[in-house]
Amino acid sequence: MAKRSAHYEYDPEKRRLAKIYSRQKLIMSIGNSIVIPLTAIAVLFLTGVFERLAEYSLNAGGSILGIILFVFFVSAIFLIFEFPLKLYGGYFYEHKYKLSNHTLPAWFNDFFKETLLELVFAVPIGAITAFLLVNFRYWWLYTSIVGIFFSLFINFIYPVVFLPFLYKLKPYKDRSELKNIIDILKRVGVTNIKKIKVLIESEKSKKVDAMFAGMGKTKSIILYDNLLDKFTKKEVRTVIAHELGHYVHKDIIKFEIFGAAQSVLLLYLTNLIIRNNFTADEFIPLHIYPVVSGILIVLGFLAMPLMMAYSRKQEAAADKFALDYIKDSSSQISTEKKLCDIDLADDKPNAFIEFWFHGHPCAEKRIKMAEQWAAENNG
Ligand SMILES: [Zn+2]
């Protein structure tokens, strides 16, 4: 086996491509998560399509089934509008930059699975929201409460339902390295994570990631096979330690609490906007439900910098945790550079873009932090 170089250096050509790729990907994601749904909502609302669709659904299904039917139609409309850019951005564009290993049929297979999950989970929560909206004055408060439980539920089942449905998962096989990993876990004081799984991403793409997923009994460390293939063992250890940092700092639950507080506020504001601009009725009519989604998209976008700043803070703390426990700044720096080149991430994005959209500090800052740590701890 060829020995992998211990210290990876940036590939200048990849740095050049990363600038273009990351900017265009950002534009596509804003298009598909904000511009296209908002345009669709505005057009269908103003032309009265939503009103007629709500009337039709309620006539066909009655007050409960009718709501479910309407939410299903609205979800399906969104899926149709988002499809072209999803196909272009997720398949053709990824192939253009040689980041995808998907064949077109395999991409469609994944697309159908994701769509199914979205319908199975998003339609019920949407229907509950719509039901509360049309029946209760304080719908925004009840919706926040339901949302919190729903989000915890999704977090809990994510590694045991979503991941196995979308990916092949294998147990981590390397016995001697497993001992090292368990050793790291023990050193950090973590004794209740027993599951380390390898997620087979290589059939889909070249992308690299690792995550700490699940809650309670479903807690597990997930490592992408691409990570194990392309990174040295030392580098992988720094990644695991970073994930453990999230675990020890209880970042999943803190982020949930932060998100819950934000969603109460955004739903409250949405209610005010709806009451002041869209209806004078005590109970909001069903066809306003897509408008509620639209307002939430706008408010969510405006609130993004706050959420991202909080996430970047957690990420920097997890990096610091890995440095303190593994004490291997050169592997951590090398990992960062390699990750950037493989994923074509911009190591030094525009400051405003980072402020608004990035959940991780940019690579330049993460590397600087590791260098600083090394300067303080050497000698
Ligand atoms: Zn992280």
Side-chain angles (χ1 to χ4, degrees):
M1 205 170 109
K3 202 164 175 279
R4 281 173 286 205
S5 135
H7 299 294
Y8 182 83
E9 279 308 327
Y10 279 137
D11 171 348
E13 175 60 8
K14 290 264 168 77
R15 289 302 83 221
R16 188 186 70 81
L17 289 175
K19 284 265 172 224
I20 309 167
Y21 173 83
S22 57
R23 192 169 313 147
Q24 293 182 340
K25 276 300 243 194
L26 178 65
I27 292 169
M28 282 189 252
S29 103
I30 293 172
N32 235 8
S33 58
I34 297 163
V35 179
I36 290 176
L38 285 182
T39 311
I41 291 168
V43 169
L44 297 174
F45 179 75
L46 294 173
T47 52
V49 172
F50 282 141
E51 196 165 0
R52 266 171 285 152
L53 196 59
E55 211 176 86
Y56 168 81
S57 305
L58 291 172
N59 282 337
S63 62
I64 302 278
L65 196 62
I67 290 174
I68 299 173
L69 210 57
F70 180 68
V71 171
F72 174 80
F73 285 142
V74 172
S75 305
I77 290 170
F78 283 152
L79 286 170
I80 293 166
F81 275 100
E82 288 164 4
F83 177 73
L85 197 50
K86 231 179 203 171
L87 175 62
Y88 176 73
Y91 181 79
F92 293 102
Y93 190 77
E94 292 292 295
H95 271 286
K96 185 176 161 191
Y97 282 88
K98 301 189 173 61
L99 287 170
S100 174
N101 292 338
H102 260 138
T103 60
L104 195 57
W107 185 86
F108 266 101
N109 186 35
D110 275 359
F111 170 76
F112 284 125
K113 279 183 172 176
E114 282 162 19
T115 304
L116 186 69
L117 275 184
E118 208 168 315
L119 290 176
V120 166
F121 287 93
V123 171
I125 190 73
I128 292 170
T129 304
F131 176 80
L132 295 170
L133 180 77
V134 299
N135 286 298
F136 298 95
R137 274 187 74 84
Y138 292 99
W139 66 273
W140 57 273
L141 184 61
Y142 305 141
T143 301
S144 324
I145 294 165
V146 172
I148 291 164
F149 283 102
F150 185 74
S151 179
L152 287 173
F153 171 69
I154 294 287
N155 252 317
F156 183 74
I157 64 166
Y158 186 77
V160 286
V161 176
F162 282 65
L163 283 181
F165 184 66
L166 296 170
Y167 295 93
K168 275 184 206 140
L169 289 165
K170 291 185 177 161
Y172 184 72
K173 282 266 173 58
D174 187 335
R175 281 184 170 268
S176 64
E177 186 55 16
L178 191 62
K179 256 189 70 173
N180 288 323
I181 294 175
I182 302 278
D183 219 51
I184 297 172
L185 292 180
K186 274 193 200 144
R187 214 165 356 127
V188 173
V190 177
T191 49
N192 57 348
I193 304 174
K194 300 276 187 288
K195 293 182 203 106
I196 299 173
K197 290 179 193 160
V198 180
L199 179 146
I200 312 300
E201 172 68 22
S202 56
E203 341 176 291
K204 300 176 195 277
S205 82
K206 308 234 170 356
K207 301 222 162 162
V208 172
D209 207 351
M211 64 185 104
F212 181 81
M215 294 176 133
K217 280 188 174 168
T218 69
K219 271 181 211 150
S220 25
I221 293 178
I222 314 277
L223 304 171
Y224 278 36
D225 60 341
N226 290 338
L227 175 76
L228 299 171
D229 290 345
K230 290 174 189 155
F231 289 69
T232 66
K233 284 180 180 169
K234 280 183 164 184
E235 288 167 343
V236 174
R237 282 175 216 158
T238 68
V239 173
I240 292 172
H242 170 101
E243 296 308 318
L244 279 172
H246 285 309
Y247 173 75
V248 171
H249 299 150
K250 300 194 175 6
D251 283 344
I252 293 186
I253 199 74
K254 281 185 190 162
F255 204 73
E256 280 290 311
I257 294 168
F258 191 87
Q262 180 180 292
S263 82
V264 176
L265 181 67
L266 298 194
L267 281 159
Y268 171 74
L269 291 174
T270 304
N271 183 54
L272 284 186
I273 295 169
I274 292 283
R275 301 263 178 223
N276 285 319
N277 299 286
F278 289 93
T279 179
D281 303 349
E282 187 184 352
F283 299 110
I284 297 166
L286 183 58
H287 72 275
I288 302 285
Y289 165 77
V291 179
V292 168
S293 313
I295 295 170
L296 281 170
I297 290 172
V298 175
L299 294 178
F301 177 72
L302 295 176
M304 231 174 131
L306 204 64
M307 200 83 171
M308 292 298 114
Y310 185 59
S311 168
R312 285 196 301 272
K313 193 171 158 271
Q314 288 190 336
E315 294 301 335
D319 270 2
K320 171 81 169 47
F321 181 91
L323 286 165
D324 287 342
Y325 271 89
I326 306 288
K327 304 192 193 309
D328 185 357
S329 58
S330 59
S331 294
Q332 204 152 319
I333 291 168
S334 169
T335 302
E336 202 53 56
K337 291 181 177 171
K338 214 186 266 186
L339 268 175
C340 266
D341 272 0
I342 293 174
D343 289 349
L344 288 183
D346 192 350
D347 56 297
K348 198 188 171 200
N350 170 291
F352 176 76
I353 293 201
E354 187 186 9
F355 164 75
W356 208 287
F357 297 101
H358 286 212
H360 287 75
C362 67
E364 193 197 42
K365 285 184 189 154
R366 295 176 82 171
I367 290 167
K368 211 169 264 171
M369 184 184 156
E371 284 168 349
Q372 215 164 5
W373 182 94
E376 283 164 14
N377 290 276
N378 274 354

